[in-house]
Every structure is written in C-alpha cells, then in structure tokens.
Amino acid sequence: MIATAGHVDHGKSTLVRRLTGMEPDRWAEEQRRGLTIDVGFAWTTFPRVGEIAFVDVPGHERFVPNMLAGVGPVPAVLFVVAADAEWMPQAEEHLTALDALGVRHGLLVVTRADLADPAAIRQTASARISRTSLGAIPSVVGMDGLQRAIEDLVERMPAPDVDGDVRLWVDRSFTVAGAGTVVTGTLQAGTLRPGDELLLRGRPVRVRALHALGQSKSSVSAVARVAVNLRGVPRTDIERGDALLTPDAWWDARVVDVTAADLPRQLVVHIGSAAVPARAHGIPNGSRLFLSRLLPLRVGDRVLLRNPGTHELVGGTVTDLDRLSKSPFFLRAQQKALGRQGKLIAGEWHTDAWDDLVTRADTELTAWRAAHPMDTGIPTETLRHKLRLPSADLVAPLLTRRTELPKAIMKAFSALHDDFVAAPFAAPDANRLRELGLGSRELAAIVRTGRLVKVADGVFLPPEAPTCAAAVLARIDQPFTTSQARQALGTSRRVVLPLLAMLDRTGVTERLPDDTRQLR
Ligand SMILES: Nc1nc2c(ncn2[C@@H]2O[C@H](COP(=O)(O)OP(=O)(O)OP(=O)(O)O)[C@@H](O)[C@H]2O)c(=O)[nH]1
Ligand SMILES: [Mg+2]
C-alpha cells in the first residue's frame, strides 16, 4: 500500500492512473472538475513485488481531513511535486502530516517535467523532505524508472505484522444488493477471515465475506486494501472513522494523554480515518485530550493533532488512556491497550503490582491493628480507600492471600485448626498455645496471614468466627444473656465476653440496659 501526497493539481491522480491503468477519481464531480475530493484507490501488479495498491489523496486544502484519512493507515508515500511550480503550501502541509504520523518510507516524484526544468524543485523538495521522518529518499522524474523505484521502495519496507491485532479504520461503507453492508479500509496489521468476530462500536460483528483488490478472498493479511462484508449490521450504523477491532486488544478511550505540548484548547484528533474534535489542556510532559467521542487506542499510538482554525498540525504519541497508567489495576480488555501484563485478581481486574500491593496492605493492616487493638480487622471500605483500589472486590483477595509461614508454625497451626473443627469457638488457652510452641511472635505471624483473628489478648479464633457466631446467635431467643450466648456457642466466659464486645462494636449485636443483647 502506497499513498500519494502533494499540492493540488501537481499530477498525483495522473501518476496513479498511468501506473495502474485505473481511474482513482471515482466521483463524477471529481472527473468533471479534474480535482480529487476524496481518497481514491487503484492497483496493479509489478513483476518483482506483486500486487501494489495506491491510495490517491486530494491536494486541495479544503480536503485535508480526507487526505489524512487516506495517508493515516498507509506505511509509504509517493510525494509528488510539479516541475512547473514552486514548493507549495499543501506540499508543506502534507509533508508536516507525514512527519507527524512518523511515515518513514517514500519516493519523491517530479511530474509535469515536459513543462519546465525539474532540477530546482527536485532539489528543494528533497531538502525539505530530508528534514522529516521520511529522511533522505530517492527521487525520479516522470515515468522513467518509476516502476523500478517503487519496487525498490516496497522491498525496503519492513514485513507487516500479519499476526497482529486488527484495527481496520473504515474509510467507506456502502450497501451491496444481496450482500448487505460492506466497509472498506486499509488493513495495517493482522489477518482477516470470513467468520471472524470483531468489535464495532463495542458490539460484536461477524465477517461474512472479504474482498481485496476486487477479488473474493478466504483470508486477507496486512498490509492490504480490504472490503469487508458484515453480517447483521445496518449500513447507517457505520461511518468513516469507525474501526473494526480484534476484541480485547484496544481500549475505547475518552481521555487521552499525548506527548505533544502547548496545544490549542480546541483541536481535532486524527488517527486512521477518524477525525475527532477534542479539548486539550497541558499536563507535565505533554497534554491531556478530552475526546468528543470514544476512540479505540493503545499506548504508543501516533496521533495527528490539527488546529481547525489555523490548520496547524502536530504529531503526538499516546502515553495514557483514561488516566489508567498510574492505577495498579486494569481490566483484561485494557491489558494490551496499556501494554501491561498482569495476573487476574478478582472479577475482570488484573494487576502487575501484586507484591507491592501485598506489602502495602500489610503496612496498612499493621497500622490499623496498632490503632484498633480490639477490632476484628480493617473494614473493607477503609482498606479499599487507603490502597485506592478501583473495586471493593479486590479487598478480599488481598486479605485472604496465603503467605507462606515457616513449617513449624504451619504444623502448630494445623493442630489448632483441628481443634477448631471440633469446637469452632473454643479459643485455645495459654497451656494449649504453649504446648504447640505458639508464642506471641508466632501468633502475630498467623494473624498477619489472615488465618486467625485476635479477639482479645491471648484469645484467638478462626477468621470466620464472628460471622458464624452471629449466625448461631440469630437462632436463639432474643434478647439473650451472656450465659445463654456462651452455651449456644459452646465456649467459655473468657472467649464469649470479648467476642460479644466485638459483635457490639461491629454493629452485629446491640447491648441493652439490662446487660442482655439482641441481634440488630
Ligand atoms: N503536461 C503535463 N500535464 C500533466 C502531467 N501530469 C498531470 N498533468 C495535468 O495536470 C493536471 C492535474 O493533474 P491531476 O493528476 O488531477 O493532479 P492531482 O495532483 O491529482 O490534483 P488533486 O487531486 O486535485 O490534488 C491535469 O490537467 C493533468 O492532465 C504531466 O506530466 N505533464
Ligand atoms: Mg488528484
């Protein structure tokens, strides 16, 4: 795939027509006015490199957004200048756009050399181009040696990523009688096959059939011009700027951080065939863009930012999406878009900072216990807030993590565990703890790993004991005395007093003036 670029009327479409024998200006109005308005496509086969498709863009300044939609997804460019003209404004603007997009492969073609000496403009254009991402590129005059130069260009280009994720920016959509909705675009990476499920505006759609360069295909790999026939999608649900996406590979972002600084407040973000108005404000090392609609992006994407008032263009690289980069947690669907790998913690939440979180949770728990020696444990919401967890679902996995304990402690703990199976509220007394070799340090370690809760000094129970106690007490007559509670729980006064006090504090039970209690 190669795009054209250059000032209006400098012979881009004529060049494509001569190379392919096809008419890139497909609209009647374009042919009548001899002016390209929207992107056109034509293709041919060259002996050395096979099929080559050209995206022919308009040169007129009014159609710059169409030009950007055309060159956006294309990796190489034929930069056209006319021998009988100076270096012109849209040549400069197109070059700025190519530079901002980071296009690195190109060929300079001087046209209309029958009308003037091409030497001067060839030199000027080469010098200008060499200062951009294109660098020093070869140049040809007219059709002489053009085919060979294009073949050289294609051979220099890196092999496309045919296994990559698909993001097909739609540049046209139409209805074909009997087939339904068809969209076209430039496949930059990946491979498409009939039957593939893709996402369009967050909804799954299925590929019914594929065409490339006018022929039906059982698969199309990047880089290619492709027409995709979609099942069950009304034509009116798709427009230029939409994208067909590999599921879970891109993130539909509303807030986008980019490297570009000092941007105008109002601008238009161009990527692929999309042009989305946005508001910008400065942040350290760049700008934050608030898009007027969602765009499927990834960190590292190159975007083009255009000031619609002055037509100024700058490029930027995406550094963050929806302010997610600082969050230790992200959703599965955000992993690829953020370029992060993490393990699944709960629900759809992943993290790549688990060990760090465990350490921070430990610190918070230790501080909490010191400040609230009599409490069961830190309330879920408090820990969620302190660790800035995006969901309360993440608290439990952090607390119930099973940190390894030394073997001797684990052995003693298993003995305790067996005791609790027999009598769940019978906290071991000092003798039993001594017998098992569990001193205050060992017990603190067990509590830290969430295997025991400390109900009072020297009183330890399984972590589920308070909840179980509430369930047992709910089944006896209300209100109940301390002694009735002790009997129902099958335990001693030493345990029942602090256990009931804990249940009072956590709002499970209510202590009445006559010293009886009832469940709230
Ligand atoms: N004499 C001469 N005329 C040419 C040559 N190449 C193009 N032209 C003429 O220049 C005019 C503009 O050519 P196009 O190919 O439409 O130019 P373009 O760059 O596609 O223009 P836009 O798409 O509007 O930007 C047409 O009248 C062409 O016939 C050439 O090599 N020699
Ligand atoms: Mg044209």
Side-chain angles (χ1 to χ4, degrees):
M1 297 278 329
I2 302 176
T4 61
H7 194 73
V8 61
D9 247 4
H10 279 193
K12 299 179 290 299
S13 301
T14 304
L15 196 71
V16 169
R17 201 177 299 121
R18 285 182 183 160
L19 280 165
T20 64
M22 290 175 74
E23 178 53 63
D25 287 334
R26 63 206 145 82
W27 292 2
E29 190 190 348
E30 291 178 316
Q31 302 203 2
R32 197 178 63 245
R33 293 169 64 183
L35 177 86
T36 305
I37 295 169
D38 202 357
V39 282
F41 305 96
W43 54 88
T44 188
T45 303
F46 284 170
R48 243 161 73 203
V49 294
E51 279 172 335
I52 295 195
F54 294 92
V55 180
D56 182 39
V57 309
H60 196 284
E61 65 171 321
R62 273 187 50 208
F63 310 125
V64 167
N66 291 345
M67 180 272 178
L68 296 176
V71 297
V74 177
V77 67
L78 287 188
F79 203 99
V80 174
V81 291
D84 60 332
E86 311 266 280
W87 178 254
M88 298 297 278
Q90 267 61 59
E92 183 67 28
E93 188 170 18
H94 286 195
L95 187 58
T96 307
L98 295 168
D99 187 33
L101 288 166
V103 176
R104 288 183 297 119
H105 304 278
L107 178 65
L108 171 64
V109 188
V110 186
T111 55
R112 299 166 62 106
D114 51 320
L115 302 176
D117 181 354
I121 189 66
R122 185 182 194 173
Q123 203 181 3
T124 307
S126 292
R128 296 255 173 186
I129 292 170
S130 69
R131 295 200 288 266
T132 69
S133 60
L134 284 160
I137 59 171
S139 59
V140 295
V141 175
M143 299 300 291
D144 284 349
L146 181 58
Q147 178 179 321
R148 179 205 297 255
I150 291 174
E151 287 178 319
D152 289 347
L153 168 66
V154 171
E155 283 180 346
R156 279 198 307 275
M157 286 164 59
D161 178 10
V162 297
D163 301 318
D165 296 314
V166 170
R167 178 173 53 179
L168 182 73
W169 294 104
V170 172
D171 47 41
R172 286 197 290 157
S173 64
F174 46 89
T175 311
V176 172
T181 301
V182 174
V183 302
T184 65
T186 299
L187 188 64
Q188 293 167 279
T191 299
L192 284 173
R193 293 182 187 82
D196 282 354
E197 189 175 276
L198 301 167
L199 292 182
L200 174 76
R201 297 189 185 177
R203 287 198 309 270
V205 294
R206 204 168 280 283
V207 175
R208 178 192 283 182
L210 290 171
H211 278 74
L213 308 187
Q215 293 189 327
S216 171
K217 301 273 180 181
S218 58
S219 90
V220 177
S221 290
V223 175
R225 253 334 269 178
V226 60
V228 186
N229 180 200
L230 294 171
R231 201 178 286 278
V233 185
R235 148 85 180 79
T236 46
D237 281 9
I238 312 178
E239 58 189 19
R240 174 174 289 183
D242 279 326
L244 289 175
L245 306 167
T246 297
D248 283 347
W250 312 91
W251 182 247
D252 282 324
R254 172 79 66 180
V255 184
V256 181
D257 291 359
V258 293
T259 50
D262 302 321
L263 296 174
R265 238 186 109 54
Q266 306 286 338
L267 46 75
V268 180
V269 180
H270 294 265
I271 180 168
S273 60
V276 175
R279 272 184 307 112
H281 73 70
I283 54 168
N285 305 320
S287 302
R288 178 160 291 160
L289 311 175
F290 295 85
L291 307 182
S292 61
R293 71 170 175 80
L294 301 177
L295 268 181
L297 297 173
R298 262 185 195 178
V299 167
D301 270 338
R302 196 81 192 143
V303 292
L304 216 147
L305 308 166
R306 185 165 189 254
N307 184 334
T310 63
H311 297 190
E312 269 173 307
L313 277 173
V314 291
T317 302
V318 173
T319 54
D320 195 13
L321 301 172
D322 289 342
R323 287 168 281 200
L324 288 165
S325 73
K326 292 213 180 60
S327 159
F329 286 97
F330 41 88
L331 297 170
R332 183 167 55 104
Q334 296 165 342
Q335 278 204 100
K336 278 193 184 174
L338 296 173
R340 290 167 69 171
Q341 287 297 311
K343 67 176 188 178
L344 181 67
I345 304 304
E348 282 276 288
W349 293 102
H350 287 65
T351 187
D352 52 9
W354 180 241
D355 293 343
D356 177 50
L357 278 159
V358 166
T359 311
R360 284 169 52 211
D362 251 347
T363 311
E364 295 296 345
L365 280 176
T366 310
W368 173 268
R369 286 213 185 84
H372 309 82
M374 292 298 286
D375 272 16
T376 10
I378 191 164
T380 301
E381 198 45 39
T382 306
L383 190 62
R384 189 189 80 77
H385 184 76
K386 284 191 181 294
L387 298 181
R388 296 170 186 277
L389 306 178
S391 158
D393 296 347
L394 294 162
V395 174
L398 264 179
L399 293 180
T400 58
R401 73 195 191 275
R402 285 292 180 246
T403 316
E404 264 322 294
L405 284 167
K407 270 213 179 75
I409 301 185
M410 269 318 284
K411 197 161 165 242
F413 172 74
S414 337
L416 269 191
H417 187 74
D418 292 345
D419 294 351
F420 285 129
V421 171
F425 304 102
D429 59 16
N431 282 336
R432 178 68 175 143
L433 291 174
R434 200 174 311 117
E435 188 179 295
L436 292 171
L438 293 173
S440 57
R441 229 164 47 91
E442 290 76 12
L443 286 162
I446 299 175
V447 169
R448 212 164 33 241
T449 63
R451 290 173 171 91
L452 284 178
V453 289
K454 182 173 172 175
V455 182
D457 267 351
V459 182
F460 298 89
L461 286 175
E464 59 280 7
T467 319
C468 294
V472 170
L473 296 174
R475 270 179 271 141
I476 64 173
D477 290 341
Q478 313 284 317
F480 49 83
T481 63
T482 304
S483 166
Q484 284 163 339
R486 183 183 56 73
Q487 280 169 23
L489 296 171
T491 186
S492 60
R493 278 183 71 78
R494 183 180 71 93
V495 174
V496 83
L497 288 173
L499 183 56
L500 287 173
M502 179 184 270
L503 294 177
D504 291 344
R505 267 200 319 280
T506 51
V508 176
T509 51
E510 180 181 11
R511 189 172 176 173
L512 304 174
D514 65 352
D515 216 22
T516 60
R517 285 180 171 83
Q518 63 189 16
L519 256 67
R520 277 180 194 267

